[in-house]
Amino acid sequence: MANGELPDAANLIRRITLGGASEEEARQLLRREWLTTNGLGGYASGTISGAVTSRYHGLLIAALPAPFGRTVMLNHLAEQLRMADGRLLPLGSAEQNRSEDPAPSGHNISEFRLVNGLPLWRYEVEGIVLEKYVVFLYAQNTVHINYRLASPHENLRLELRPAVHFRGHEHAVNEDLQEGYRFSATGERFELTAGESLPALRLVMQGDHAAFTYDGGSRREISYQKEAERGYPSRGLLWSPGYFSVKPNVRQDATLVASTESWHRMLALSPAEAHGFYQDRHRRLVASAHTEARISPAADLVLAADQFIIRPAGRIQDAARAQASGDEIRTVIAGYHWFTDWGRDTMISLEGLTLTTQRYTEAGWILRTFAHYIRDGLIPNLFPEGKNEGLYHTADATLWFFHALDRYVELSEDRDTLRSLLPKLLDIVEHHLRGTRFGIGVDPRDGLLKEGAPGYQLTWMDAKVEDWVVTPRRGKPVEINGLWYNALRLLEGWLREEQGNEAAQPIAEHARRAQESFNRRFWNAQLGFLYDIIDGEQGDDAACRPNQLLAFSLKHPVLAREYWEPVLTVVKERLLTPVGLRSLSRDHPDYKPKYFGDLRARDAAYHQGTVWVWLIGPFIDAWLKVHPEDRSGARRFLERFGAHLDEACVGSISEIFDAEPPFVPRGCVAQAWSVAEVLRCWVKTAGGNQEDQTRTAIWRPDKNFAGST
């Protein structure tokens, strides 16, 4: 790599060697993806081959203020070498510029690697060796696509043809542009606009003898293979104004800079500076993480974790409020490419993403950000793309908030945040005791928490297609009551520490009653495990699901100890796979072994057998409660994830997998709680005393620079 590359020993490198042009390797190039992000929610992503197969692929998906949200601004870059004899040699896979469905064929990519998270390609064609890497500037909607000639060659030019279809990143690929594109040039600076509302896409080519050829604008149709597989419109038009050309050489890199920022901001850093700052920041992220997370594969997950922690670009008023109080606004993107920030995912992920990585300051910002959004005793379920207001249809996200706050306070010792949030925590519990929105409230007959409203999916098993709620789970779900009891006991302890026994006693009584009722009503003696739901629409539901782990995996187990091992044994035998837990046992009539097809077919399988990675976290927590000395055994449940880091999105972990071998990765290619829980458990299952492994440093302001600059 150019510009002062450090030796491999100083870098975290994940390398995939691509030596041949077999049909299977070409297929792998289409299936494997890369991702780089900017800390605002924006990203660049695509297949390793260079082919655009998804609506979410592009070199610049900018995070724009509401009402736009994330917007595809630079969709594709056709790359080719022009030889001295006039021949044109495309880079990457031969199919990447075709309009028909991509088919496996040859390629000239000899290697793909991540260098401290930076995606880098090495091309070898007719004796020419060219390297490319993509830098997405942190806290900017600016991307650098950099090329370096690694072998001397004269009379060679690199041609780059940008192609665009401005649209929301979740919009269909066949969406018509309301206004035509306009292209303008001022010296060596180029702007592409479409109407008055969207910002301009600004382009600059830097390098030896850089030039632009305007050819009047051209359109071409391409096919999006993944969209076809998922049952969505799969053919769309891209528009290109022309192409850049530059003379690559071994002495000077060539860089295309694309941005939606102002000219001054996008050109403030040279490509060499941008690359240097990127590498320095990512090295610091690894160096400041937990000691057990500083070597691969955990170190790869530290860098993957950073991709989900963002400052939401669109919520300007909320950012101003936080800054006025001395805070910063932070949240967590639940998954790439299509998720926004979700309350449940954020709270489950918080320990792995921010505490295991020792980013305590940002953890506090995230918790205080969500505390600001509490309404009627609930935190938001999610923030829709391009919106400032959250949606609140969730029965568990608020209870996970208590869990996340507990982990934060214990590891950071930030009692000030706890004290400031105590009134809000009491308000949450009071709303739940008397009943709040969506039928969420304590049943006065047994002290257990019920939930449910027609047309809403309120638990984490939340698939819904139009008016069909696939797993409604109305009634008293097992994990909701495990979380409720844990929240009550946490609040009881905090009140006792801060305000004394008298303040804590009413909460303790609610917890005692809930625990007594839980063990009396949820234990299914005939089957030897817990009901998934009691008092449901169809009575008590005895489906074998992983939700029952939350009855004893949390800090305060609601389940009596005598039932821990039987439940764990059943879950291990029926639900455990090498990549997480099935969401439903195989013997259930609704069990679906594969997650594929159109939206309706996929959502029908989403929580009906499909394997979820994040559930490996509660499973390992439960395992170590039953087998506290068996850390090596617990670590073995994580072994498959090392190989997975090269499978789907290189360097990250997928959302879900098929429920049967070969456990094909599905869903989002990079999921926050998947990364967070595997990373957290990797550290937790390291050798030595548990307390030493989970707490190596007390919060200090000067230790929390990573990600905040």
Side-chain angles (χ1 to χ4, degrees):
M1 191 180 296
N3 304 318
E5 178 188 13
L6 293 177
D8 283 0
N11 293 305
L12 176 66
I13 297 179
R14 178 160 292 275
R15 180 179 281 107
I16 298 176
T17 302
L18 303 162
S22 68
E23 181 174 310
E24 178 54 31
E25 186 168 283
R27 290 185 187 277
Q28 287 294 332
L29 283 171
L30 282 174
R31 285 197 287 261
R32 287 170 166 164
E33 300 185 38
W34 59 275
L35 172 71
T36 184
T37 62
N38 68 350
L40 301 173
Y43 61 91
S45 184
T47 64
I48 291 179
S49 72
V52 177
T53 64
S54 165
R55 74 177 89 177
Y56 303 102
H57 287 164
L59 290 159
L60 176 57
I61 291 85
L64 302 179
F68 300 110
R70 288 173 290 180
T71 304
V72 185
M73 299 298 294
L74 177 57
N75 301 63
H76 187 243
L77 197 61
E79 306 157 309
Q80 57 189 10
L81 294 174
R82 183 176 291 275
M83 309 298 286
D85 59 7
R87 288 182 300 136
L88 294 174
L89 305 176
L91 299 179
S93 295
E95 71 267 12
Q96 71 163 298
N97 298 324
R98 293 161 59 174
S99 61
E100 62 268 26
D101 290 344
S105 61
H107 67 88
N108 47 42
I109 306 171
S110 62
E111 183 179 272
F112 175 83
R113 62 185 185 268
L114 296 180
V115 183
N116 302 319
L118 184 91
L120 184 147
W121 292 256
R122 185 178 178 90
Y123 304 98
E124 296 186 16
V125 52
E126 294 194 10
I128 301 167
V129 180
L130 187 75
E131 290 189 341
K132 175 182 79 174
Y133 62 86
V134 177
V135 179
F136 207 152
L137 274 63
Y138 190 75
Q140 279 198 48
N141 289 310
T142 300
V143 66
H144 290 190
I145 304 107
N146 192 90
Y147 301 84
R148 173 185 176 239
L149 191 63
S151 61
H153 198 93
E154 298 298 326
N155 301 318
L156 180 72
R157 290 194 73 80
L158 171 66
E159 295 183 356
L160 306 173
R161 177 179 286 275
V164 302
H165 176 199
F166 292 174
R167 57 176 172 78
H169 79 144
E170 79 282 13
H171 291 185
V173 298
N174 64 349
E175 178 182 79
D176 290 333
L177 185 71
Q178 297 301 312
E179 302 183 55
Y181 295 104
R182 294 190 296 277
F183 187 72
S184 61
T186 304
E188 298 177 348
R189 299 179 177 184
F190 302 89
E191 286 192 353
L192 204 163
T193 57
E196 299 298 326
S197 57
L198 276 172
L201 172 65
R202 297 186 168 94
L203 300 165
V204 171
M205 187 77 225
Q206 300 181 351
D208 189 11
H209 291 85
F212 181 80
T213 300
Y214 177 70
D215 59 11
S218 61
R219 293 180 181 269
R220 65 185 178 93
E221 185 180 65
I222 67 169
S223 175
Y224 296 79
Q225 180 181 355
K226 274 195 171 182
E227 300 308 305
E229 292 172 354
R230 299 173 71 228
Y232 295 118
S234 60
R235 304 184 78 86
L237 292 173
L238 298 182
W239 185 84
S240 174
Y243 62 90
F244 292 96
S245 64
V246 66
K247 182 178 180 181
N249 60 62
V250 295
R251 297 175 301 277
Q252 183 180 5
D253 290 3
T255 304
L256 178 65
V257 183
S259 180
T260 61
E261 307 287 350
S262 67
W263 285 110
H264 176 76
R265 182 169 170 80
M266 72 176 280
L267 298 176
L269 298 179
S270 69
E273 290 174 321
H275 173 248
F277 287 134
Y278 181 100
Q279 295 287 5
D280 288 347
R281 180 175 178 274
H282 283 72
R283 292 189 192 103
R284 292 200 309 270
L285 288 170
V286 174
S288 62
H290 191 287
T291 53
E292 294 292 341
R294 295 178 191 173
I295 58 173
S296 188
D300 298 85
L301 297 181
V302 170
L303 297 183
D306 178 61
Q307 297 178 326
F308 303 103
I309 303 168
I310 71 161
R311 184 179 78 238
R315 302 209 283 273
I316 297 173
Q317 289 182 329
D318 290 338
R321 170 197 51 77
Q323 290 167 353
S325 66
D327 259 352
E328 294 284 344
I329 185 173
R330 289 292 187 277
T331 189
V332 169
I333 287 287
Y336 291 97
H337 304 93
W338 49 81
F339 283 120
T340 59
D341 45 336
W342 287 58
R344 173 190 305 113
D345 301 56
T346 297
M347 298 308 145
I348 293 173
S349 302
L350 187 118
E351 182 173 1
L353 298 186
T354 64
L355 302 180
T356 303
T357 58
Q358 300 192 146
R359 297 170 67 164
Y360 300 122
T361 296
E362 286 164 295
W365 288 342
I366 291 168
L367 290 167
R368 292 190 292 273
T369 293
F370 272 87
H372 170 72
Y373 296 125
I374 292 172
R375 303 287 187 274
D376 300 320
L378 302 173
I379 68 169
N381 187 36
L382 78 153
F383 288 88
E385 190 76 52
K387 303 293 184 181
N388 286 314
E389 294 296 324
L391 302 178
Y392 285 81
H393 55 293
T394 171
D396 57 344
T398 312
L399 305 178
W400 279 111
F401 180 78
F402 283 75
H403 167 79
L405 179 61
D406 170 63
R407 302 306 301 138
Y408 169 72
V409 172
E410 182 173 323
L411 295 174
S412 71
E413 296 191 342
D414 178 8
R415 305 290 297 189
D416 288 340
T417 289
L418 173 62
R419 294 185 189 102
S420 70
L421 294 183
L422 268 178
K424 290 181 178 288
L425 302 178
L426 280 166
D427 180 69
I428 288 170
V429 168
E430 288 169 0
H431 270 89
H432 281 66
L433 288 171
R434 65 174 179 259
T436 184
R437 300 164 64 181
F438 310 110
I440 300 169
V442 168
D443 185 339
R445 296 172 297 178
D446 58 13
L448 295 174
L449 193 62
K450 57 183 175 62
E451 56 81 23
Y456 286 98
Q457 65 284 31
L458 301 177
T459 73
W460 80 273
M461 293 185 162
D462 58 358
K464 183 180 180 182
V465 183
E466 297 176 346
D467 293 330
W468 176 37
V469 178
V470 182
T471 49
R473 304 185 73 228
R474 293 171 65 181
K476 298 168 184 173
V478 63
E479 82 280 12
I480 298 296
N481 280 280
L483 287 161
W484 170 241
Y485 176 79
N486 186 62
L488 289 173
R489 287 299 188 195
L490 289 173
L491 182 57
E492 173 198 349
W494 292 329
L495 287 172
R496 184 167 283 112
E497 293 165 1
E498 298 296 331
Q499 300 178 14
N501 291 334
E502 185 176 349
Q505 192 54 41
I507 303 298
E509 178 56 30
H510 287 298
R512 185 205 61 75
R513 185 164 184 239
Q515 185 176 38
E516 187 277 329
S517 296
F518 184 96
N519 285 279
R520 175 169 47 84
R521 301 205 58 203
F522 272 95
W523 175 247
N524 187 325
Q526 182 179 357
L527 296 177
F529 57 86
L530 301 179
Y531 285 106
D532 188 57
I533 302 169
I534 62 171
D535 297 343
E537 293 177 286
Q538 307 300 322
D540 297 344
D541 183 359
C544 182
R545 293 189 183 273
N547 304 311
Q548 58 192 305
L549 288 173
L550 274 300
F552 67 106
S553 65
L554 296 166
K555 185 172 188 176
H556 295 285
V558 67
L559 185 63
R561 184 179 293 271
E562 63 193 271
Y563 301 133
W564 293 3
E565 189 163 5
V567 169
L568 183 64
T569 299
V570 167
V571 170
K572 181 176 182 292
E573 291 176 351
R574 299 193 187 185
L575 304 178
L576 181 66
T577 77
V579 286
L581 271 60
R582 295 183 181 93
S583 46
L584 183 65
S585 62
R586 290 163 158 161
D587 57 359
H588 197 282
D590 292 335
Y591 176 74
K592 303 290 190 301
K594 289 188 177 181
Y595 177 89
F596 69 103
D598 62 17
L599 179 61
R600 189 174 186 87
R602 294 196 313 275
D603 277 350
Y606 205 32
H607 303 104
Q608 304 287 50
T610 296
V611 172
W612 288 77
V613 176
W614 80 269
L615 293 167
I616 200 66
F619 178 82
I620 286 178
D621 291 337
W623 183 270
L624 291 175
K625 285 204 170 185
V626 175
H627 309 287
E629 304 302 321
D630 188 23
R631 294 189 176 281
S632 60
R635 171 63 67 86
R636 284 194 290 272
F637 300 128
L638 301 171
E639 288 177 351
R640 177 65 174 77
F641 295 108
H644 174 63
L645 292 178
D646 290 336
E647 279 185 337
C649 182
V650 179
S652 196
I653 301 181
S654 298
E655 176 189 12
I656 53 177
F657 289 77
D658 283 345
E660 299 292 340
F663 302 111
V664 175
R666 306 285 190 178
C668 281
V669 294
Q671 192 78 2
W673 57 12
S674 299
V675 169
E677 286 295 85
V678 172
L679 176 58
R680 178 182 70 83
C681 289
W682 189 271
V683 170
K684 183 170 184 172
T685 57
N689 178 269
Q690 178 179 0
E691 192 65 22
D692 290 340
Q693 293 301 327
T694 57
R695 182 174 175 182
T696 61
I698 303 302
W699 178 85
R700 295 287 184 271
D702 60 349
K703 286 180 66 71
N704 289 275
F705 57 82
S708 59
T709 59

